[in-house]
Each structure stands twice: as structure tokens, then as C-alpha cells.
Amino acid sequence: MKKGYKVTDVKRQKKIGIAAENLQELIEKSCRKLGFNASCAECRLYVAEDGTLVDDDNYLKTLPPQTLFILLQKKETMVNDFDFFYNMIRSSKKDFIETGLAAKEFLDTNLREKFLVLQRYIEAADDNKTMLSERTQDPHWFEGLEPSEKTKEQSMSKRVKERMRGYYYKTKTALQSSELYVHSKNGHGKGLVDNFLIELRKLLESNKYNEGYFNRNYENNLRLCNKTGLFLCGGLWNDSKCKYENEHIINPYRSREERIIFQTWNLDHRIELSRTIIPAIIQALNNIYYGNINCIGCKQNIKCGDIDTERYYLQIFTHENLKLVHIVCHYKGKHDAPSNIYTVCQECLDQKSIKN
């Protein structure tokens, strides 16, 4: 009976899926799909995670479906997942973002065991460099970053902005793909979506993309770390604190390695962006389009009103709904946390403007 496996080359540049019944079939199909010119007899198959050589059918049968293998040609040397990942961290030639994506892929399985190993490398970092800030003081920390990034704080603020822009464009793409935007008559639905996005972006820009969240020089209520740059995991989306509080800590200001590993930490939406917040926004805009508005303030049902953009801004971009979590505590299943249809009548909107 055939099983499905994943196979890549030593450089991890291409990953393919193979269905095979035995080792010979697996190697032959992999050679062909990976475009190897070498004879199949000269190729060797290894388990990517630990570097074990697979040289007979009996051992292959003990491995679960979707196991990732590395297929090597004659003169190539096996590098297991951990060594490959760590070498990538150490390499100044590898792009910062690519490294972060590779880190996430590497950490998809056996997380606790892998982080215990990673922790030993992190602990070897020089604590004396933690409070250094400028590129000239700690040049190794800045390897792989843009020359315009002159301080650690500036670089960490930039990382927050990248995440915030990602949330904005994810929201924008979803709204502009909605039925309301694409098929509404006379462009009215399109106008509602566009106006909402303009107001949402204004709020984001006026708050400087919440750049202070990762910046240790900001005020205590505006940053998610302490004064040295130490971050603590907030735990699962529905927990008040992390169950691994002594393990899930990181200071990306201390070393380049920790800075890169910090990319695997997530700003997790308690109320989920794609599953919950965006559908609520679309429903709110639909209610406005069809003149069926329930004001969140005075609770009246009215025909004319507006969307409370600020409420959705808080859910998408701020720590009111965002929790910084270690990848182990990032639950990818459905969060049972609702948003709401935030629409308001003009009178309540005017009163809110006066208070602000």
C-alpha cells in the first residue's frame, strides 16, 4: 500500500509530495521530480529531522505518512533540520524574512524538544551586549538588516510596523473581495468599503502603527517588553497567563539569534481576524448598505448611520485584542471569542466625537 511522503533537496529549495510503496519507488520518483541528473543508485535518502539514513523498506514502513526526507546526490553531505536552521541563523547572507519563515517551518513539529536545544544556543549569547543600542556598538546584531536601521529600537519598531501593515492589507484584501464591494449597485457598497479602509488607515497612521510595542524605550503602557527588551509569552488565547512562564521568554535585543527566533513569536488575535472580525465588518457595512442599522450606543434600529471604525481598529491592531505568544502557545484552531456589529447612529457618533 502506498503512503504519501515529502521530499526535498539538501538546500531545501524545492519540496515535493511523493506517493510510494517502497524505498526504490520513493527514490526514483523523487529523483525525477527534483530534476536530479544523477543515477538513482547514487542517491541516498535521509529523515530530515534527525538525519537518519533510510536504506531499506522495513525501516521506511515504520515512518509515518508525510515524513519529510532529504534526498542527497553522490557528493552531497547530509545536514539535519536543526543544523540547517542554525546555520541559516548564523549566515549573514540569508534574508531576514526568509529566515523567519524557515524558522516557523522548522518549528512546526516537536516544538518543546527543539526549543530546549535552541535555548542552549541562546544562553551562550553575551549578556553584556543586551543594552547596547547602536549598529556601531553591536554590528553582529544588525547583520542581514537594512543599512538604514541604525539602532536596535528602530529595528524592532520596524518589525511591529510590518506586522501591522500585514493585518491592514489582509483586511483590505478580504473586504475588497466581498460581494458588497464587487457587486453592489452604483458603486455604493464599494464606497462604503473604501471609506472604512481610509478611516482605518488614518487611525493606524495616527498611532504610528503601534511602533512602541516592541520598542523598549517607549513608556511602560505602550510597550510589550520590559526596559531591557525582555518579552514574556501571554499564553494561549483564552488563558490569563502562559503555562510555561519560565521557558517562554525571549530578549531579541540580546543577540542576533534571539532577534531572528523572535520572528516565530506571534501577535495572536484573541478575537480572530479572518474568522470573526472581518466577517463582522462586512456584516456591519451590509447593514448600512441596506438601511438596517442597530446602533451600538442607543440600541435604536435606524436606516441611516455609520460604522464605528475605532472599535474594529482596537480589535485588529492593539493589545486590547492582541497577545504576544511563543509559537507553542499559538493556537491555530478556532477561537470561541465573538466580535460584534459596531454600527452607530449619527447622534451617538456626534456625541462620541465631542468626548474625544
Side-chain angles (χ1 to χ4, degrees):
M1 181 179 177
K2 293 187 178 184
K3 286 198 292 187
Y5 302 103
K6 295 176 183 176
V7 184
T8 186
D9 60 8
V10 70
K11 294 181 180 179
R12 274 71 164 180
Q13 291 180 338
K14 182 180 180 181
K15 186 186 293 182
I16 57 173
I18 298 289
E21 190 170 353
N22 54 53
L23 181 60
Q24 182 178 348
E25 183 182 8
L26 180 56
I27 291 177
E28 287 177 353
K29 286 185 174 180
S30 299
C31 280
R32 188 166 60 252
K33 282 196 172 185
L34 289 171
F36 285 6
N37 292 322
S39 164
C40 292
E42 297 177 342
C43 294
R44 294 153 291 140
L45 195 73
Y46 293 84
V47 178
E49 185 174 357
D50 60 10
T52 301
L53 175 65
V54 183
D55 57 2
D56 62 56
D57 289 334
N58 290 332
Y59 181 64
L60 180 64
K61 289 177 182 178
T62 68
L63 299 173
Q66 302 308 313
T67 296
L68 177 63
F69 297 105
I70 309 295
L71 187 66
L72 300 187
Q73 300 183 68
K74 188 174 182 180
K75 295 183 179 180
E76 292 177 330
T77 302
M78 175 60 196
V79 180
N80 65 34
D81 271 353
F82 179 79
D83 289 335
F84 179 80
F85 172 64
Y86 187 68
N87 289 339
M88 186 178 287
I89 291 177
R90 300 295 300 180
S91 171
S92 61
K93 298 178 182 179
K94 200 66 180 173
D95 180 79
F96 182 79
I97 298 299
E98 286 183 9
T99 305
L101 294 174
K104 287 188 176 183
E105 183 174 346
F106 165 72
L107 294 168
D108 271 347
T109 58
N110 300 327
L111 296 178
R112 285 181 57 78
E113 293 83 354
K114 288 177 179 176
F115 263 97
L116 289 175
V117 179
L118 283 172
Q119 195 63 30
R120 291 202 291 270
Y121 285 85
I122 291 172
E123 288 169 357
D126 187 354
D127 280 324
N128 293 326
K129 294 185 177 181
T130 301
M131 297 310 296
L132 300 179
S133 176
E134 297 181 7
R135 181 184 283 265
T136 54
Q137 296 173 322
D138 190 4
H140 177 67
W141 192 93
F142 290 87
E143 288 181 8
L145 299 180
E146 294 294 327
S148 60
E149 297 177 37
K150 303 298 184 183
T151 68
K152 293 179 180 179
E153 293 77 17
Q154 178 194 6
S155 178
M156 294 300 292
S157 287
K158 185 177 180 180
R159 304 288 85 79
V160 180
K161 289 181 177 181
E162 289 170 351
R163 298 194 191 203
M164 296 299 165
R165 287 191 182 97
Y167 301 149
Y168 174 79
Y169 284 110
K170 187 172 187 177
T171 303
K172 180 179 179 180
T173 299
L175 294 183
Q176 291 184 341
S177 301
S178 67
E179 287 289 317
L180 177 66
Y181 189 87
V182 176
H183 298 299
S184 64
K185 295 180 180 179
N186 303 320
H188 180 45
K190 180 178 182 297
L192 288 172
V193 170
D194 286 340
N195 287 337
F196 171 78
L197 290 171
I198 289 170
E199 293 304 311
L200 190 67
R201 182 149 193 166
K202 283 181 181 178
L203 285 170
L204 192 55
E205 290 175 347
S206 67
N207 288 285
K208 299 181 179 179
Y209 292 83
N210 296 314
E211 64 178 6
Y213 281 178
F214 294 171
N215 190 324
R216 63 185 176 184
N217 286 346
Y218 268 65
E219 294 297 321
N220 186 50
N221 63 324
L222 297 176
R223 52 179 161 83
L224 302 180
C225 59
N226 68 12
K227 290 182 178 180
T228 70
L230 183 70
F231 291 85
L232 308 179
C233 173
L236 291 171
W237 70 273
N238 56 347
D239 284 345
S240 59
K241 64 178 183 178
C242 178
K243 295 177 180 177
Y244 311 100
E245 53 186 330
N246 294 323
E247 297 177 34
H248 293 181
I249 58 175
I250 192 168
N251 191 332
Y253 287 86
R254 192 161 73 118
S255 68
R256 179 172 179 261
E257 288 77 8
E258 282 175 278
R259 167 175 67 76
I260 293 172
I261 292 171
F262 185 67
Q263 289 182 92
T264 68
W265 284 53
N266 291 274
L267 278 172
D268 191 19
H269 287 89
R270 295 184 185 90
I271 304 171
E272 295 176 277
L273 180 57
S274 295
R275 286 192 179 109
T276 308
I277 300 173
I278 290 174
I281 294 170
I282 292 173
Q283 185 60 58
L285 293 171
N286 268 301
N287 289 357
I288 295 169
Y289 180 79
Y290 289 107
N292 182 25
I293 301 168
N294 184 37
C295 178
I296 197 74
C298 63
K299 309 302 180 184
Q300 292 187 59
N301 190 270
I302 52 177
K303 290 186 177 181
C304 295
D306 207 345
I307 189 168
D308 192 342
T309 308
E310 187 175 346
R311 297 278 192 120
Y312 291 114
Y313 166 80
L314 292 173
Q315 289 187 354
I316 298 171
F317 300 108
T318 75
H319 58 66
E320 179 176 300
N321 187 47
L322 288 170
K323 179 189 282 195
L324 183 68
V325 297
H326 185 288
I327 192 171
V328 170
C329 291
H330 183 213
Y331 179 65
K332 296 181 180 179
K334 185 177 181 180
H335 297 186
D336 188 21
S339 181
N340 208 333
I341 310 301
Y342 294 119
T343 49
V344 291
C345 67
Q346 192 59 51
E347 184 177 347
C348 288
L349 194 63
D350 291 341
Q351 289 177 358
K352 183 178 179 181
S353 298
I354 292 171
K355 289 179 182 178
N356 291 340

